Amino acid sequence: MKTKLTQSSQNLWIMEDTLETTTTTTTTTTTTNESSRMYYPIFYRDRVKDLWRQEDRSSTSDPPPQMDVFHALRQQDRALRPQQRHGTGVDQYQLDAGQRAYGAVQCTECGLTYSRHEPEEELIHDNFHRSQAKLTFAGWSNEHVVSQVPEWDVTGRIIVVSQVDSRQWLAKVHSILEVVDTELGFATYGELPEGACVYLAIARSTVLGVCVVQPLQYANRMITIDGLHGAPIDCYSTEFYPAKCGISRIWVSPKYRRLGVGRTLLSAIKRHYIFGYVMRPEEIAFGAPTESGKLFAESVTGQKDFLVYL
């Protein structure tokens, strides 16, 4: 009798273990299926964006090659083709449903950062593409070359144009400054201050950067104070300090930024602007710099209280 009871108990235990194993396997399979399922509705947009990021990381595991002006100039130019703008007319406005084309993107051709599928910003991007024609530079005979820059290209150079040069040269400078002033929001659209000259960074028939320099004797200093809730506020000192020149505006084409073009321009200006004298960085003043211009001025002068003027 005891033998029969023991055998029955063993059978019951085997059946219970089998049921538990089957249940565990089924639960694991269900969990795996749910975790690998791709959720695309707008209710799971954060989850979808995480999946996109993981996929992008896996597809771009190798670090990008180091970029410089030499390689940026040699990137294959793509034909500009008109693109259909979304969100206009009877189209539905943009929804964040976890799609790839959402938010700010940087154009690989012109370097401008804009929001895709935003009609206003796409229009700005298209206008900027069209304005790039004004930045082409075939070259002039007897142009005033300040410095040769062979690391950019065989044709890499910095030239200067003053207000006593030919009308043809000044007309070209005016069209270039229209592009610069549009992006910087400069009040005097394409105009030059009295006595100013323009330095152009050029390579492969393209204007890489522009710097407008004007004569200046005195300037103020940049002062940063703590404002409301600790937010910094930029102010100018009431005292005046001697200066050698003023940078009315300095601009680099978006595609060639952070590649040393601005520093090369400023280095050429320090050696060339005053004949026989090399200016020190602290003797150069900057006119009402933007936030990026402020960071650039702090970097090249090594001072937080660099010279500024209005």
Side-chain angles (χ1 to χ4, degrees), residues 151-195:
E151 57 266 27
W152 293 349
D153 185 72
V154 177
T155 61
R157 64 197 185 279
I158 296 175
I159 68 172
V160 62
V161 180
S162 63
Q163 296 184 12
V164 297
D165 286 321
S166 67
R167 292 183 178 179
Q168 178 187 359
W169 291 15
L170 292 175
K172 180 61 177 178
V173 167
H174 180 80
S175 65
I176 294 173
L177 287 179
E178 286 181 349
V179 179
V180 175
D181 293 348
T182 299
E183 184 175 348
L184 296 180
F186 212 80
T188 56
Y189 191 69
E191 297 180 5
L192 288 173
E194 184 177 357

Side-chain angles (χ1 to χ4, degrees), residues 54-128:
Q54 294 173 9
E55 183 177 337
D56 291 338
R57 291 193 199 103
S58 62
S59 61
T60 58
S61 56
D62 296 333
Q66 186 68 26
M67 181 62 69
D68 54 14
V69 177
F70 183 85
H71 292 89
L73 284 166
R74 283 155 182 78
Q75 286 181 344
Q76 186 176 3
D77 296 329
R78 303 175 185 176
L80 299 181
R81 55 184 182 276
Q83 299 178 352
Q84 180 183 2
R85 298 191 187 94
H86 300 272
T88 59
V90 296
D91 293 344
Q92 186 178 6
Y93 198 71
Q94 184 173 354
L95 294 176
D96 181 5
Q99 63 270 37
R100 284 177 182 269
Y102 185 82
V105 295
Q106 186 176 28
C107 179
T108 57
E109 297 177 13
C110 67
L112 189 69
T113 301
Y114 69 101
S115 294
R116 191 177 295 174
H117 303 328
E118 287 287 347
E120 296 83 3
E121 297 204 15
E122 284 193 345
L123 180 60
I124 294 173
H125 177 231
D126 291 346
N127 291 337
F128 183 79

Side-chain angles (χ1 to χ4, degrees), residues 177-226:
L177 287 179
E178 286 181 349
V179 179
V180 175
D181 293 348
T182 299
E183 184 175 348
L184 296 180
F186 212 80
T188 56
Y189 191 69
E191 297 180 5
L192 288 173
E194 184 177 357
C197 55
V198 181
Y199 290 82
L200 302 176
I202 300 167
R204 291 177 69 91
S205 302
T206 304
V207 177
L208 310 181
V210 180
C211 187
V212 180
V213 186
Q214 65 181 105
L216 196 67
Q217 294 182 346
Y218 298 97
N220 309 99
R221 287 198 178 277
M222 173 70 74
I223 299 175
T224 302
I225 61 175
D226 292 333

